[in-house]
Amino acid sequence: MDIKVALVGNPNTGKSTLFNRLTGLNQKIGNFPGITVDKKTGFTKLASGKEAEIIDLPGTYSLYPKSADESIVFQVLADKENDSHPDVIVLIADASNLKRNMLLYSQVADLGIPIILALNMIDLSAKQGIEINLDKLAEKLGIQVVSISARNNIGIDKLKQAIANTNKIATQYQDVDVNFLAPEAINAIKSKLNSDNDYYALQVLHQHEHLTFFTEKEQEEIEHIEQSHHFESSKIQAAETIARYKHLSTILSDVVIDKGTEKKFSFSDKLDAILTHKVWGFAIFLLILFVIFNAIFAWSSYPMDWIETGFGFITSIGHKYLPAGMLSDLLLDGVIAGLGGIFVFIPQIAILFAFISILEDTGYMARVTFMMDKVMSKVGLNGKSVVPMIGGLACAVPSIMAARNIENWKDRMITIMVTPLVSCSARLPVYILIISLIIPSKTVLGVFNLQGLALMVMYLVGIIAAVLVAWVMKFIIKTKERSYFIMELPVYRMPRWKNVFYTMYEKSKTFVFEAGKVIIAISIILWVMASFGPGNRFENIDKKYESALADTTKNTDHIKTLVATEKLENSYVGILGHWIEPAISPLGYDWKIGIGLITSFAAREAFVGTMATIYSVDGGDEDTTTIRERMSASVNNRTGLPVYTFATGISLMLFYAFAMQCMSTVAIVYRETKGWKWPVIQLAYMTAMAYVAALVAYQLLK
Amino acid sequence: MKLSHLKVGEKGTIVAFTDLDMSVKLMEMGCLPGEEIEVERFAPLGDPMAIRVAGYQLCLRKSEADVIIIQ
């Protein structure tokens, strides 16, 4: 790698498209050192044969951050020791909206890192009647200016050439001399930090609390300078912004000629008249939601079946050919089974993110945010909370990551806290199993399938719960920060299918790795707990059936299953199941369900697998009966009544609807909130809610 | 006159802001003194609103539009 290039630009300027164009599949996501903001990097070959590392920084309107993601931009650009500190910056600006985009250019240029200006969507702006004199602009700024269209692959080679040509010494003229804004404080910082850059010093005064690369002592000294010179952050920022725009106006005045402002929005405006219409707007939104919802379930069922069959095949092959023993069992029943439980969700996650990325790419998601803000703000959320909450239908893990776009801390926190209540795809297998046990497959009113209706009700329960909890938290969580909602509405565009594909690929990968680590660890622990028991209980069971198993004249399969059941009951997991029975019997559950609750604490979908294990060994010798039939026939040893009554089923589904039961979500909330406080609160309130709801439901219905 | 008092299709020019913190955010988004603003539409439930400013469409809540004084 010969040169580091950072992409910087406003949101909606085609930064990601350019990044994908430059790097292709040659990209990876990691974390910026010490912080949990995603770092996208990739590599590209320049014409000179040199290789460039491309770093995609979060989109931002200015160097003054409004969200966690945005704060990384100054952090990386300011800190020469940072791994991601670039040699060259490519600033991407939307050519059709140059003046506002140039505010960020002006700030970044003044930091003194070599910079190239890439005017994107040049074909679009030309069509709109905007003429930009590139040579004149380049001359006035003292840098290379390249016009590109990332979407249509225009000018990318020229941009690469410009990167290769860039000198390591910055050539841009200083845009605005900011020293006058706070001369004494700026000079004090400059001598303190041994820097000759006025703007860097000014930004340090503004942002030092968020800059992790200063030591505690340095922080105190900077704070002291700030105090003693009465540095008024907002006032100075306002003055700077005005000064920059004033300067930009003079630069751009004879560079940009706009001949057709009136016409260029007509298509978007016509669409908006329908898509954000009082009635049609919501109707279309609901229709789109329905299509997504349907697609997630209908389209994913085949690939999910293939994945399940595939993993089943691997396990059976493994058991056949690997030497029998502990290690093979751990590998096959622990690790492979755990992996299967993760991979099976890839189709749903990929489909959901395909839709989300199409909706975002076209500009529709911004309209949904616009339409929903009023409703969402009533319950303490924000229009931008809609995206994570829709995403919650597939999986809370990537959705909680998506909540980073919410600038306001309180809005973001509430969104993170309630998103896991929205029924994710992991609850689906549990719902389907239990609904098939307790709800008859009948058609009512000619069209509605009763089981389908029940499933829909469960999803509604999740969404209503999320809204109610958000409303309660609105009053509990206190903040000094004001909630605000200022957002660009981009013009409608066709989705970029390549971007959609990259998003699907990336999100699936992130899910597999983030959730995968935890689930495999838990799978191994559970396997150990289910395979061993205290003392010599297992040996005693073996002894008890020794003679019966030795009798070769009889079919020993039944006895083998009896051994397995008894072993499971006496394993650590089984003992735990019995131990929690007093706590769960008021909810209508026996110890077997108890085991299911314990195993699915790590991940809900484990419930079905656990039930399959327990009942496949418990069911007797009729191999033809399905697990569902065995569960339905099972009887509570103490009461003599069927275990899966309507009351128990409803109670169990409500428990699964509300309980946290997802280690991956706990892990991601920890990561996103940088501490244990919020994940613990979330775990506690959700478990309490699940228990109470299940208890009330069972006691009323039994 | 406050921006939030304008009706759909009406135009005005920004003269001042009544809130310092909010003004910084708005100015970054191109809402500068001297810029012309046109109200494009209101969200289906009456809030937030979409305005045309500096050559693009921006949406903001009425409470935020309240800090923008126009002529």
Side-chain angles (χ1 to χ4, degrees):
Chain A
M1 198 264 308
D2 303 296
I3 188 169
K4 267 189 212 171
V5 182
L7 304 183
V8 180
N10 285 10
N12 306 311
T13 49
K15 231 158 47 68
S16 307
T17 312
L18 177 63
F19 179 75
N20 290 338
R21 186 68 80 185
L22 286 173
T23 60
L25 274 178
N26 195 358
Q27 48 181 263
K28 58 171 194 251
I29 303 185
N31 269 339
F32 286 100
I35 17 178
T36 61
V37 173
D38 277 348
K39 173 187 177 181
K40 266 170 85 178
T41 54
F43 294 93
T44 196
K45 267 252 160 4
L46 302 176
S48 53
K50 282 187 189 167
E51 195 172 41
E53 182 181 3
I54 312 284
I55 302 152
D56 190 19
L57 291 175
T60 181
Y61 290 102
S62 84
L63 279 185
Y64 295 96
K66 295 188 198 65
S67 66
D69 263 14
E70 288 178 14
S71 71
I72 196 67
V73 181
F74 181 69
Q75 190 110 252
V76 163
L77 299 184
D79 181 11
K80 289 195 175 66
E81 305 299 313
N82 193 303
D83 276 348
S84 310
H85 186 77
D87 304 313
V88 178
I89 294 168
V90 173
L91 195 125
I92 298 127
D94 175 355
S96 62
N97 195 359
L98 201 53
K99 193 170 157 193
R100 199 205 59 211
N101 278 255
M102 289 292 283
L103 175 71
L104 182 63
Y105 165 82
S106 154
Q107 294 177 334
V108 173
D110 280 353
L111 286 178
I113 304 166
I115 192 168
I116 299 168
L117 180 62
L119 301 181
N120 196 12
M121 303 186 238
I122 199 74
D123 44 353
L124 225 81
S125 69
K127 241 186 243 166
Q128 293 170 352
I130 297 170
E131 274 173 30
I132 300 170
N133 189 332
L134 295 183
D135 293 337
K136 211 180 226 174
L137 185 59
E139 196 184 311
K140 282 185 171 185
L141 300 173
I143 57 159
Q144 303 179 80
V145 179
V146 186
S147 65
I148 62 168
S149 169
R151 186 186 276 260
N152 298 317
N153 207 4
I154 300 168
I156 304 298
D157 287 337
K158 260 196 248 159
L159 177 63
K160 283 189 183 178
Q161 193 63 52
I163 294 171
N165 288 346
T166 310
N167 204 312
K168 294 239 168 177
I169 298 155
T171 57
Q172 64 264 30
Y173 304 125
Q174 187 177 47
D175 243 39
V176 173
D177 183 3
V178 291
N179 196 281
F180 77 95
L181 291 166
E184 285 156 8
I186 287 175
N187 291 334
I189 293 283
K190 270 165 66 182
S191 62
K192 171 108 275 144
L193 298 176
N194 226 344
S195 162
D196 58 357
N197 189 309
D198 284 332
Y199 194 51
Y200 171 71
L202 178 67
Q203 280 285 355
V204 166
L205 281 162
H206 280 296
Q207 293 196 42
H208 67 94
E209 287 99 337
H210 309 291
L211 299 177
T212 47
F213 54 83
F214 287 128
T215 62
E216 220 166 282
K217 187 165 163 272
E218 284 174 317
Q219 288 281 14
E220 267 170 38
E221 288 167 352
I222 296 166
E223 188 63 40
H224 178 73
I225 293 173
E226 205 186 322
Q227 303 276 339
S228 59
H229 294 287
H230 306 289
F231 187 82
E232 288 178 273
S233 194
S234 291
K235 221 179 215 168
I236 291 170
Q237 193 190 335
E240 182 201 323
T241 310
I242 290 176
R244 289 197 182 279
Y245 271 117
K246 209 178 250 167
H247 178 71
L248 286 172
S249 290
T250 60
I251 286 191
L252 295 178
S253 59
D254 57 345
V255 169
V256 182
I257 302 160
D258 191 342
K259 291 188 236 158
T261 24
E262 292 308 316
K263 271 197 298 180
K264 63 183 173 189
F265 304 107
S266 59
F267 174 67
S268 253
D269 285 345
K270 268 181 210 155
L271 262 182
D272 266 339
I274 306 163
L275 292 180
T276 63
H277 184 267
K278 270 180 189 140
V279 181
W280 301 122
F282 285 116
I284 291 166
F285 177 49
L286 284 178
L287 186 75
I288 289 172
L289 273 190
F290 177 75
V291 170
I292 294 176
F293 206 45
N294 206 43
I296 289 176
F297 296 131
W299 301 355
S300 62
S301 66
Y302 290 104
M304 285 173 93
D305 282 348
W306 299 334
I307 292 168
E308 275 184 332
T309 318
F311 272 93
F313 181 71
I314 294 172
T315 312
S316 66
I317 289 281
H319 274 302
K320 210 167 171 184
Y321 292 107
L322 285 179
M326 280 294 174
L327 212 61
S328 298
D329 281 354
L330 172 63
L331 182 69
L332 298 169
D333 300 332
V335 178
I336 302 278
L339 272 179
I342 300 158
F343 274 80
V344 79
F345 289 108
I346 291 179
Q348 292 194 331
I349 286 177
I351 292 170
L352 179 87
F353 275 101
F355 276 104
I356 288 185
S357 107
I358 290 170
L359 294 184
E360 274 181 349
D361 229 31
T362 50
Y364 182 72
M365 204 58 113
R367 269 69 184 190
V368 172
T369 313
F370 174 63
M371 284 195 290
M372 296 298 288
D373 183 64
K374 174 101 186 221
V375 184
M376 302 300 266
S377 64
K378 280 240 161 73
V379 296
L381 295 166
N382 185 301
K384 293 183 180 175
S385 312
V386 173
V387 181
M389 286 181 73
I390 295 173
L393 290 172
C395 180
V397 175
S399 308
I400 283 170
M401 284 154 64
R404 273 192 209 142
N405 293 335
I406 303 169
E407 298 100 339
N408 182 275
W409 176 82
K410 181 175 172 177
D411 293 355
R412 174 160 175 251
M413 227 26 105
I414 298 181
T415 308
I416 290 175
M417 292 304 272
V418 303
T419 295
L421 285 171
V422 177
S423 278
C424 66
S425 55
R427 284 155 170 119
L428 189 64
V430 181
Y431 289 163
I432 287 176
L433 177 70
I434 297 169
I435 285 175
S436 69
L437 283 172
I438 61 164
I439 310 277
S441 175
K442 268 197 303 203
T443 304
V444 287
L445 299 171
V447 277
F448 296 109
N449 175 295
L450 210 55
Q451 293 188 331
L453 274 182
L455 188 63
M456 204 181 87
V457 168
M458 287 316 296
Y459 275 92
L460 283 178
V461 162
I463 290 165
I464 293 167
V467 168
L468 285 179
V469 172
W471 182 74
V472 172
M473 287 194 169
K474 178 181 156 181
F475 297 104
I476 297 173
I477 299 178
K478 295 272 177 265
T479 176
K480 273 181 255 164
E481 201 186 350
R482 273 154 61 186
S483 169
Y484 69 93
F485 184 77
I486 301 173
M487 194 186 70
E488 179 178 354
L489 288 176
V491 288
Y492 286 104
R493 277 189 289 235
M494 279 298 288
R496 291 152 292 184
W497 298 109
K498 228 179 187 168
N499 281 7
V500 174
F501 167 74
Y502 284 134
T503 311
M504 284 167 74
Y505 171 74
E506 257 169 27
K507 297 287 177 182
S508 308
K509 207 168 84 177
T510 313
F511 170 73
V512 169
F513 284 110
E514 292 290 334
K517 277 183 273 184
V518 187
I519 293 181
I520 287 183
I522 299 286
S523 303
I524 293 173
I525 292 170
L526 281 177
W527 176 85
V528 171
M529 287 180 68
S531 308
F532 297 95
N536 50 3
R537 288 193 190 193
F538 276 28
E539 287 153 39
N540 292 343
I541 295 167
D542 279 334
K543 261 186 213 144
K544 189 169 139 195
Y545 290 98
E546 206 170 5
S547 58
L549 277 170
D551 188 348
T552 46
T553 58
K554 281 182 188 162
N555 183 355
T556 54
D557 282 355
H558 177 55
I559 298 160
K560 275 184 189 156
T561 58
L562 278 180
V563 174
T565 320
E566 219 164 296
K567 276 189 176 171
L568 187 63
E569 197 174 346
N570 282 289
S571 70
Y572 289 107
V573 168
I575 292 164
L576 216 58
H578 276 295
W579 185 69
I580 64 162
E581 210 172 10
I584 57 171
S585 63
L587 313 181
Y589 313 154
D590 65 353
W591 69 273
K592 285 178 192 165
I593 298 179
I595 293 182
L597 291 184
I598 293 168
T599 57
S600 61
F601 179 75
R604 297 174 181 93
E605 58 272 30
F607 178 77
V608 179
T610 309
M611 289 296 117
T613 315
I614 297 176
Y615 283 95
S616 65
V617 294
D618 191 35
D621 40 9
E622 288 165 64
D623 285 355
T624 47
T625 53
T626 63
I627 295 152
R628 189 172 65 79
E629 284 162 345
R630 286 177 196 163
M631 286 175 78
S632 157
S634 66
V635 165
N636 188 321
N637 287 340
R638 269 184 302 164
T639 57
L641 296 168
V643 176
Y644 291 95
T645 60
F646 183 72
T648 308
I650 297 293
S651 156
L652 201 52
M653 281 203 290
L654 285 176
F655 192 90
Y656 273 86
F658 297 145
M660 186 76 184
Q661 286 179 303
C662 181
M663 290 316 276
S664 321
T665 308
V666 176
I668 217 83
V669 173
Y670 167 74
R671 218 181 72 129
E672 294 291 304
T673 61
K674 299 190 190 86
W676 281 113
K677 181 183 167 193
W678 294 103
V680 166
I681 293 175
Q682 190 171 35
L683 187 67
Y685 99 77
M686 286 179 70
T687 310
M689 221 168 112
Y691 191 88
V692 171
L695 179 71
V696 170
Y698 180 72
Q699 296 299 337
L700 287 179
L701 293 170
K702 73 168 179 183
Chain B
M1 185 179 181
K2 288 175 179 172
L3 169 63
S4 53
H5 294 162
L6 287 189
K7 292 192 185 75
V8 174
E10 288 182 339
K11 289 181 186 175
T13 305
I14 303 176
V15 271
F17 302 94
T18 56
D19 181 293
L20 183 62
D21 284 329
M22 208 51 86
S23 77
V24 175
K25 293 188 175 102
L26 289 164
M27 282 197 293
E28 276 181 358
M29 301 296 284
C31 295
L32 292 160
E35 282 284 338
E36 193 183 62
I37 284 185
E38 181 183 346
V39 177
E40 290 265 316
R41 64 177 57 80
F42 287 86
L45 299 170
D47 193 17
M49 63 199 288
I51 58 170
R52 170 86 52 211
V53 65
Y56 78 108
Q57 220 183 133
L58 179 77
C59 69
L60 70 173
R61 287 183 185 154
K62 274 186 186 166
S63 57
E64 284 135 24
D66 268 344
V67 312
I68 304 178
I69 305 294
I70 49 152
Q71 217 170 34

